[in-house]
Amino acid sequence: MPQEKTDRRQLLRLAAATASTLWLPRSAWSLARLQQDPFALGVASGAPTSDGVVLWTRLHFDLPQRAEFTLRWEVAHDEGFTRIARSGQVQAVPALGHAVHAEVAGLEPDRWYFYRFMLGDAVSPVGRTRTFPRPDASPARLRLGYASCQRWEHGYYAAWRHMRAEQLDAVMFLGDYIYEYPGAQQAVRAVTGGWVRTLDEYRARYALHRSDADLQAMHAACPWLPTWDDHEVQNDYAALHEGTGTPLLGTVDDFAARRAAAYQAWYEHMPVRASMLTQGLAGLARGAETRIYQQVPFGRLASLHLLDGRQYRDRQPCLKDGQPGGRLVDPAKCQGWADPQRSYLGAAQEQWLDGALARSAGRWNVIGQQTLFGPRDALPGPGQRLWNDGWDGYAGNRRRVTDALQRHAVSNPVLLGGDVHENWVGHVKADYADTSSPTVGVEFCGTSISSRASASAVEKTPERLAENPHFVFGDAQYRGYGVAEFTPGRLTTTLRAVQDATRADSDAFTLARFEVVAGRPRIERQ
């Protein structure tokens, strides 16, 4: 793994340096006419604030491995780039996969812009992005898309094409951007490469996904706020504990090095700030922290909280024969299941979230995290079967979150999730064991962009709804995305589904629509 041996101090310096605007003489970026499109992976934006945004691209063409390039970027008020708002230069260096993260500041709040990159005579596709309102502003509306789980082999990305027509302010991506393993049965399209373990292999897998035209177009349509789940590294991993894989192909001798490579590749392909890579001050060894949890205000209308449910968690309880991986567990027979100290988020992130919720000034408090928050008992009748890899396996931490929502009187909590490849809509309860306990928020766990649900999930949905009355809607049949529209008075969430994810030209339809009135955590179907 030659790339993984890059000195981490130098990597952090490069990330910080390449994110800043710099000015070099014209000779530094003058190139002969390129024979290939260097912008084949498209453009993206993210990390919006009231005065800035991050612009992303990654050069992807046949180029000398050690070559460095200086790109120009422009941000304009108009698509024709006749009214330039900001411009600058940014370096693409091999140690970061020739990815660039231009951190643009000095923009006006709450407005749309257009942007592009240039390398020699080559010009990137034009992207559209926006700044968020000032923290003390009172915007009238926020349209937020949320999505997760886009396994390449399972289908096409028609969902992204339909999402592009939604006129969103931002997208919250909730994990499983790539999948680290190949070999899907009845694959719709072939994945290049095998098991992903090294930095170069992770880069190649991201490049494959980024080659999709519908995904590129959605990245270019508005800013993204991404977090990750397990498949960006390895299925069902927990902190520095390996997840599932085959003995010869899916595992490695040094999992910390693999995780560090995966985190770097994620950074290289997401429109995020360099501080996400450089904030990890817990040490410079392989596997050191990449801090992605954050709070983003959208004026006083909404506070957006993004969580990391993988990097800091305790290991899943009651592993079968000591082998890693998620599974259904009988909690009555699982020693340690009820240990209240076990954490899904880790102590530092729990403390941060508690403080962020206490300080939030948002009318709505949106918590974007990886998976289903409320319990989902898979065993009808007496007894329980709960999934140990999700919040069910960390009930003490879940209770601390619901306690914090009550203790701080958090305004209108809304939890968004993914991971399960199914739509689940429900009420967040103060005590899920007591059906009469107060409702403290609402939950919308979304289906996948393309990843399949389990074969039996569709037929089991009715009995699971009956067994778990805090949920009011469930659907495992369709792939798609969600749109949450916030106004001062109400939240309207629309579940959009594609007819057939195995078809690139699939139509989409509205699967269901729900409304929540501000100040009343009660879901009403429209």
Side-chain angles (χ1 to χ4, degrees):
M1 302 183 187
Q3 278 83 4
E4 285 87 338
K5 295 181 181 179
T6 300
D7 183 88
R8 188 169 176 85
R9 296 180 191 85
Q10 178 64 12
L11 188 67
L12 300 183
R13 284 196 294 268
L14 283 171
T18 56
S20 60
T21 300
L22 52 91
W23 288 100
L24 297 175
R26 186 179 179 87
S27 60
W29 46 261
S30 295
L31 296 173
R33 185 176 296 276
L34 297 171
Q35 300 302 309
Q36 298 172 285
D37 178 12
F39 301 110
L41 301 185
V43 299
S45 70
T49 65
S50 60
D51 69 345
V53 72
V54 171
L55 307 180
W56 174 94
T57 192
R58 180 189 166 204
L59 301 181
H60 190 65
F61 63 109
D62 293 335
L63 71 172
Q65 186 177 11
R66 297 185 179 181
E68 296 185 0
F69 298 89
T70 302
L71 287 72
R72 294 165 287 156
W73 57 264
E74 293 178 336
V75 176
H77 294 282
D78 64 307
E79 195 169 4
F81 288 85
T82 62
R83 298 171 55 222
I84 303 297
R86 288 287 184 273
S87 62
Q89 301 173 21
V90 64
Q91 284 195 292
V93 299
L96 291 171
H98 293 101
V100 299
H101 299 74
E103 299 190 7
V104 182
L107 301 176
E108 299 175 35
D110 198 12
R111 66 170 302 151
W112 288 92
Y113 291 93
F114 297 90
Y115 65 94
R116 65 185 178 184
F117 292 92
M118 290 155 283
L119 178 65
D121 293 327
V123 181
S124 76
V126 173
R128 187 169 179 258
T129 191
R130 64 159 300 162
T131 54
F132 277 7
R134 296 183 190 276
D136 60 352
S138 299
R141 188 184 75 164
L142 165 64
R143 280 180 62 80
L144 180 69
Y146 62 96
S148 63
C149 305
Q150 50 177 11
R151 189 170 178 183
W152 181 269
E153 296 165 290
H154 281 184
Y156 293 98
Y157 294 167
W160 289 126
R161 184 177 74 255
H162 291 287
M163 184 188 278
R164 189 185 180 199
E166 300 283 358
Q167 297 299 307
L168 301 176
D169 292 298
V171 169
M172 188 176 280
F173 190 81
L174 299 172
D176 293 345
Y177 193 97
I178 63 167
Y179 281 69
E180 81 285 11
Y181 48 69
Q185 295 183 351
Q186 299 178 326
V188 175
R189 49 182 177 174
V191 69
T192 54
W195 285 84
V196 174
R197 294 155 297 177
T198 69
L199 179 55
D200 280 341
E201 290 168 348
Y202 281 109
R203 285 171 172 168
R205 188 60 52 85
Y206 276 101
L208 174 67
H209 286 66
R210 285 281 194 167
S211 70
D212 186 275
D214 289 324
L215 177 58
Q216 284 192 19
M218 191 61 238
H219 269 297
C222 66
W224 281 42
L225 297 164
T227 185
W228 56 38
D229 194 18
D230 53 342
H231 290 291
E232 285 87 352
V233 180
Q234 185 188 34
N235 182 50
D236 291 352
Y237 85 96
L240 286 170
H241 299 285
E242 279 198 273
T244 57
T246 67
L248 295 179
L249 297 176
T251 59
V252 294
D253 292 334
D254 189 341
F255 181 70
R258 178 183 185 176
R259 195 186 80 162
Y263 285 3
Q264 180 179 335
W266 182 89
Y267 168 79
E268 290 174 355
H269 291 86
M270 294 296 126
V272 296
R273 297 186 181 275
S275 58
M276 283 197 171
L277 196 64
T278 59
Q279 269 184 341
L281 303 178
L284 298 172
R286 289 176 300 175
E289 180 184 20
T290 300
R291 190 172 304 171
I292 69 170
Y293 58 84
Q294 58 179 310
Q295 181 186 44
V296 182
F298 191 87
R300 291 187 175 275
L301 178 61
S303 291
L304 310 179
H305 309 78
L306 280 164
L307 304 185
D308 176 355
R310 284 290 164 185
Q311 187 172 188
Y312 313 104
R313 64 159 64 187
D314 290 314
R315 202 170 192 183
Q316 301 92 338
C318 298
L319 302 175
K320 186 176 182 179
D321 300 324
Q323 297 300 309
R327 70 186 190 99
L328 287 172
V329 171
D330 179 354
K333 298 179 180 179
C334 176
Q335 186 177 6
W337 182 273
D339 180 357
Q341 299 307 311
R342 299 184 67 260
S343 182
Y344 181 79
L345 300 175
Q349 187 178 191
E350 282 197 46
Q351 183 177 11
W352 169 86
L353 178 61
D354 187 84
L357 293 173
R359 295 187 300 271
S360 175
R363 172 73 164 166
W364 297 90
N365 280 273
V366 185
I367 301 175
Q369 45 83 49
Q370 285 66 37
T371 190
L372 201 65
F373 186 76
R376 189 174 64 171
D377 180 9
L379 180 66
Q384 289 182 305
R385 294 295 184 275
L386 300 173
W387 189 250
N388 69 343
D389 187 59
W391 281 99
D392 279 348
Y394 303 83
N397 193 166
R398 178 168 58 201
R399 183 60 183 264
R400 288 191 291 276
V401 172
T402 57
D403 285 349
L405 296 177
Q406 292 180 285
R407 186 172 63 256
H408 300 306
V410 175
S411 177
N412 298 304
V414 179
L415 278 80
L416 302 179
D419 176 54
V420 296
H421 310 169
E422 305 169 27
N423 274 302
W424 286 87
V425 177
H427 296 107
V428 177
K429 305 294 287 184
D431 181 359
Y432 284 100
D434 178 4
T435 57
S436 65
S437 73
T439 298
V440 299
V442 295
E443 162 176 23
F444 296 91
C445 185
T447 186
S448 58
I449 290 291
S450 62
S451 304
R452 299 172 189 146
S454 66
S456 63
V458 175
E459 63 184 50
K460 289 184 177 180
T461 298
E463 69 180 31
R464 289 183 175 177
L465 279 168
E467 189 67 25
N468 301 277
H470 45 277
F471 289 115
V472 301
F473 178 85
D475 178 85
Q477 183 173 354
Y478 292 104
R479 317 278 70 78
Y481 58 89
V483 175
E485 179 171 303
F486 300 89
T487 68
R490 68 192 66 248
L491 159 65
T492 303
T493 300
T494 304
L495 309 183
R496 295 280 290 165
V498 293
Q499 293 281 3
D500 185 355
T502 67
R503 292 180 47 188
D505 62 350
S506 177
D507 291 335
F509 66 98
T510 295
L511 178 65
R513 181 177 288 114
F514 305 91
E515 185 175 277
V516 179
V517 176
R520 185 172 179 263
R522 184 73 186 174
I523 298 169
E524 301 290 347
R525 187 164 181 178
Q526 301 301 296

